[in-house]
Amino acid sequence: MQDAETNAPVIFGVEDGIARITLNRPDRRNAIDVETANRLTALWRQVEEDTSILAVVVDATDCGTFCAGMDLKDMAAIRAAGDDPLDRMEDPFQADMRDVTKPIVCALVGHFAGAGMLIAMGADIRIGLAGSVAMISEARFGRGTSWAVPLLWMLPQPVLTEMMLTGDPVSVEDLARHGFVNHVEQSVADVRTRAMALARRIAENAPLSVRAAKASLAAGMDLGCAEGLAKAAELHRAVYTSEDAGEGARAFAERRKPRWLGR
């Protein structure tokens, strides 16, 4: 399944259980305009509803920038016409991305700022490009950062505060040292290769176990340790009693790859 138009602002395809979402506005440094934002919202829902999808890779067309943030020229034109651009977006801060139960791997193939940081934040695993930088630049343009609260669980608070209040760039290498980026690769091709390899590795595992693990981490962020543990136990109940739990043990004993049923 593949978007017919390669000039679409977002290209989408699914192969071997892995969905690939590619930002495709290289002439605007893959910035997010209204059309792109609404397409992303629709795709998060499509990914969630498609039971054949086991993992997601978010990528961008080569231009040196994964995503430059919101398309401020597009925003300015809409405001000049007397409208609020956020009102034209169904989910301007991509909250639906956080509701996707399938793991998301982000191939950060260049610099990322503002909405690019938001998309990176919404992923579960991030691969960065050596020499690239990230910015939360909204304060420099009179915009807001209400969406950034989950970053408190992903970056040290002083580092996040400096990024949000100054809008200054931070190297992807520093973000890796702080734990926000999982791996740093030396080329765009290597970033994509690593992202796809991780997605394939995830897709090979028991789907119920994978989704329960992702949901448990989110519950811990939202609820705290004690309540998060209780929620995780609830989320894993179906995993422990599943047919796949028995299949995993049999496959190990028989020295073969398991055949997951997802139930």
Side-chain angles (χ1 to χ4, degrees):
M1 179 168 53
Q2 183 74 37
D3 274 350
E5 297 182 41
T6 57
N7 62 347
V10 184
I11 300 172
F12 176 73
V14 181
E15 186 175 356
D16 297 330
I18 298 172
R20 190 159 178 172
I21 296 173
T22 303
L23 302 176
N24 187 41
R25 302 184 75 226
D27 57 320
R28 303 301 283 267
R29 297 192 299 148
N30 295 316
I32 306 296
D33 64 353
V34 170
E35 181 183 6
T36 304
N38 288 335
R39 177 64 174 146
L40 285 171
T41 296
L43 286 174
W44 305 135
R45 295 172 183 171
Q46 183 174 337
V47 163
E48 185 60 20
E49 293 169 2
D50 188 338
T51 57
S52 74
I53 294 173
L54 302 172
V56 184
V57 171
V58 180
D59 193 1
T61 301
D62 292 352
C63 66
T65 302
F66 168 75
C67 176
M70 298 298 291
D71 188 330
L72 297 184
K73 290 184 179 179
D74 182 63
M75 303 295 106
I78 292 171
R79 287 189 181 280
D83 200 359
D84 185 338
L86 297 185
D87 289 341
R88 296 191 183 184
M89 299 179 187
E90 185 176 356
D91 180 19
F93 302 119
Q94 301 301 316
D96 282 349
M97 187 179 183
R98 296 193 72 218
D99 294 331
V100 175
T101 59
K102 289 82 178 282
I104 301 172
V105 181
C106 198
L108 296 162
V109 294
H111 308 302
F112 50 107
M117 186 70 171
L118 184 155
I119 292 171
M121 178 189 76
D124 301 293
I125 297 172
R126 304 165 195 89
I127 317 302
L129 176 64
S132 63
V133 300
M135 290 185 289
I136 303 175
S137 50
E138 278 78 348
R140 295 169 55 187
F141 302 102
R143 299 186 58 79
T145 48
S146 61
W147 54 266
V149 171
L151 287 170
L152 282 168
W153 284 263
M154 304 174 194
L155 281 167
Q157 185 267 336
V159 173
L160 179 59
T161 299
E162 183 174 341
M163 290 183 72
M164 291 175 67
L165 300 189
T166 67
D168 289 342
V170 175
S171 72
V172 75
E173 289 82 3
D174 279 345
L175 291 178
R177 281 191 285 272
H178 293 309
F180 181 73
V181 170
N182 296 70
H183 305 279
V184 177
E185 300 293 345
Q186 296 301 308
S187 72
V188 168
D190 289 342
V191 170
R192 292 197 177 104
T193 297
R194 172 82 77 156
M196 289 302 298
L198 284 166
R200 291 190 188 101
R201 185 71 185 89
I202 291 166
E204 290 174 354
N205 288 333
L208 293 179
S209 297
V210 167
R211 293 186 199 179
K214 173 171 175 170
S216 294
L217 294 177
M221 286 174 60
D222 291 343
L223 302 173
C225 186
E227 291 185 39
L229 278 169
K231 183 64 176 179
E234 177 186 330
L235 290 165
H236 278 81
R237 195 168 296 124
V239 177
Y240 297 134
T241 59
S242 69
E243 293 181 49
D244 280 349
E247 167 62 10
R250 284 192 300 273
F252 177 80
E254 296 168 9
R255 298 184 179 181
R256 60 171 174 81
K257 292 186 68 172
R259 296 181 287 271
W260 305 121
L261 299 174
R263 61 178 188 265

